[in-house]
Amino acid sequence: MIDGPDKIIYMDYAATTPTRLEVVETMLPFMTTNFGNPSSIYTLAQDARNAVETSRKSISEILGSRSSEIVFTSGGTESDNAAIKGVSFAMRHLGNHIVTSMIEHHAVLHTCQQMEQFGFDVTYLPVDHNGQVSMQDLEKSITENTVLVSVMLANNEIGTIQPIRDMVSLVKNKAKELSKTIIFHTDAVQAVGHFPIDVKELGVDLLSISAHKFYGPRGVGALYVKRGTPFESLLAGGGQERQRRSGTENVPGIVGMAHALRLTHSEMGYQSSRIVKMRDRLVSELSNSVEDLLFNGHPNARLDNNVSVSFKGVEGEPILMGLDFAGICASSGSACSSASVEPSHVLLAIGRSAEDAQGTLRITLGRDNSEEDIDYLLDVLPNLVNKLRAMPSMSLSD
């Protein structure tokens, strides 16, 4: 529960997380006294440079990479754009084919659509009813013109986790058969903090993260770029980040991101077991108290905090408004498209009807939630759904 004027119960941690006070405290000196530009040479500036490099090392140790392979960005969207465009443009003389999935975040999907305007061909792989990509479909999609595969590690709407390590192995073996190089990128923005991530174990060439998904500040993220990966920088300028991302580094944000990642990583085991218990209880008791509902995503290979549920015969917006009136923050899907009246592309891809997709609620739990919060949600939500179903004006059939 988040303390506020009326004690709001926050259950939309997939959209964003509150920045931890300990993280804010580590950032403050670099907004005030240690405000130097890390590209300058005097002591004040070099203190900032040291903070950036210390943070880079800390993040690389947690992700299992070299320090030099971490590139700081403004967040997940830039990291995804930089990965897809940076590799595709650098390798366009070797091929013009990109492979991705139909349930990617729009930061990936829209970037791939933009690449089509530059003459690239894109294959959008379907998923099964649990939201997983077929290994057979992936293998069939690879051609002699393929230069990049981008598949997310964990889905932001339904929580499904993809077998990325197996996918990377398949793609790399296929590349050997074709005597070519194929780069593999994964959007790990939603996955970081929920289970250990090691880039060497996964085998990926690029991996995107964003600080505000694991109790760090907004507006800062990182892209892992494996050494030797073909990469063309999107931003020209002062040549920061080893020529891969020009622009003065966001020192407070970088310091905050590194500290948030350390804290989240150290508490991961305890928090995950606690949150899974609340999630499973919520699923069980909703199943017993509400008729005609569908849970979305893989039953086992899923994020520990995600509950995506479609209520038949009810629109999602009145549910969210009713929950908000009761002081509960939840979502209908991706925060980046919550204002859209179109049904979720993720839910449609797993076979949900447009009506079911529009009646979907996404509940994502976090470190500040308690069993009392679950008690309250279970008091409010079933009654709310039943009341809405009894109102003809709220029926999807009208």
Side-chain angles (χ1 to χ4, degrees), residues 35 101 111 165 170:
F35 57 86
S101 85
T111 301
R165 181 171 59 180
L170 184 154

Side-chain angles (χ1 to χ4, degrees), residues 246-379:
S246 289
T248 302
E249 292 93 343
N250 175 4
V251 181
I254 290 167
V255 170
M257 176 168 60
H259 193 50
L261 187 58
R262 285 195 301 272
L263 291 172
T264 300
H265 186 74
S266 67
E267 299 172 358
M268 190 183 303
Y270 162 72
Q271 289 293 351
S272 181
S273 62
R274 190 181 70 85
I275 289 170
V276 163
K277 183 180 176 182
M278 290 190 289
R279 180 202 69 188
D280 290 349
R281 179 189 163 206
L282 180 57
V283 169
S284 176
E285 297 196 24
L286 275 180
S287 299
N288 293 330
S289 59
V290 182
E291 296 180 352
D292 294 328
L293 52 72
L294 299 166
F295 289 100
N296 305 304
H298 199 285
N300 302 311
R302 66 181 301 112
L303 292 175
D304 53 12
N305 72 332
N306 178 286
V307 177
S308 173
V309 55
S310 302
F311 298 100
K312 286 185 171 292
V314 185
E315 291 184 349
E317 185 175 354
I319 298 176
L320 292 177
M321 292 174 64
L323 290 177
D324 185 44
F325 185 78
I328 300 170
C329 300
S331 172
S332 58
S334 172
C336 298
S337 59
S338 60
S340 173
V341 297
E342 295 297 320
S344 159
H345 70 284
V346 174
L347 297 174
L348 294 179
I350 65 172
R352 295 291 183 242
S353 67
E355 290 78 12
D356 288 342
Q358 289 182 324
T360 297
L361 178 69
R362 182 188 69 177
I363 300 163
T364 45
L365 307 175
R367 66 185 299 274
D368 295 309
N369 287 130
S370 65
E371 290 288 350
E372 289 74 21
D373 293 344
I374 303 299
D375 291 340
Y376 183 58
L377 178 63
L378 288 168
D379 282 340

Side-chain angles (χ1 to χ4, degrees), residues 209-226:
I209 70 171
S210 182
H212 78 104
K213 303 296 188 180
F214 48 86
Y215 308 95
R218 294 176 182 83
V220 62
L223 176 65
Y224 158 72
V225 183
K226 184 179 180 180

